[in-house]
Amino acid sequence: ATGVLERARAQLVEALGRSVFSTDGRSLPQVVGDLLRERKLTFAAAESCTGGLVLQRMTDIPGSSDYVKGGVVAYSNELKMQLLGVDAALLKAHGAVSEPVAAAMVDGIRERTGAGVCVSITGIAGPGGGSETKPVGTVVIGVLVPGRPLSVRTYLFPGNREMVRLQS
């Protein structure tokens, strides 16, 4: 029976590909934390629409002080400028939920914390606040990892406010 289960698990992992982050029951924050610890990297986040949820999930893991440096919840544009150094001109030209602003948020949190791995999240969780060009569920995530170029991507997540925040 063990061989059958192992083959089934292998087939599932093959079918899902890069969507699989754990086959041993570890949560995503546990896997990320273990990778950070193994690579001797630190982590920081600049969050807006998630309201600190990323840092909460990361710090739910015992021993996370080994790699989590901290972060900033900058919900307002004013705090994005004051705490993260986001240029007012970027906010005016592109809006808070945009790839240029997410990139500036990542740069700001890296400069302020010195963390090796930095994440920014800005978006519209709803139920209000959306528009035709940026509907509810629009989320922009920036990721900066040593040795790799900055990655900034825009997503459109389905669901209510809680679902959008969790998917972010």
Side-chain angles (χ1 to χ4, degrees):
T2 303
V4 171
L5 288 175
E6 288 302 317
R7 280 194 302 278
R9 177 181 287 158
Q11 288 173 340
L12 182 60
V13 169
E14 184 179 330
L16 294 174
R18 293 174 45 115
S19 296
V20 175
F21 58 85
S22 174
T23 59
D24 59 9
R26 290 180 298 155
S27 67
L28 182 56
Q30 286 174 308
V31 170
V32 170
D34 289 346
L35 290 169
L36 289 166
R37 188 179 285 113
E38 286 169 18
R39 293 178 168 106
K40 297 181 179 12
L41 292 169
T42 53
F43 176 84
E47 300 183 64
S48 185
C49 68
T50 48
L53 186 59
V54 170
L55 284 168
Q56 179 205 341
R57 299 275 315 273
M58 291 296 290
T59 59
D60 279 346
I61 307 304
S64 59
S65 60
D66 291 347
Y67 48 82
V68 174
K69 285 197 129 184
V72 170
V73 176
Y75 209 67
S76 70
N77 286 350
E78 179 182 5
L79 287 184
K80 285 177 180 69
M81 292 183 289
Q82 287 178 3
L83 299 178
L84 296 169
V86 175
D87 191 322
L90 277 181
L91 288 161
K92 185 174 182 174
H94 303 282
V97 181
S98 65
E99 292 189 3
V101 168
M105 289 171 65
V106 163
D107 285 341
I109 200 66
R110 180 188 43 79
E111 289 172 9
R112 284 149 183 82
T113 65
V117 176
C118 296
V119 172
S120 68
I121 301 177
T122 183
I124 305 163
S131 68
E132 191 173 308
T133 56
K134 294 180 185 176
V136 169
T138 302
V139 177
V140 185
I141 300 174
V143 179
L144 186 61
V145 177
R148 293 189 180 182
L150 171 66
S151 172
V152 181
R153 293 181 58 189
T154 301
Y155 299 88
L156 182 58
F157 294 128
N160 62 20
R161 182 177 184 80
E162 181 180 3
M163 291 298 298
V164 169
R165 293 176 74 213
L166 286 173
Q167 292 171 88
S168 299

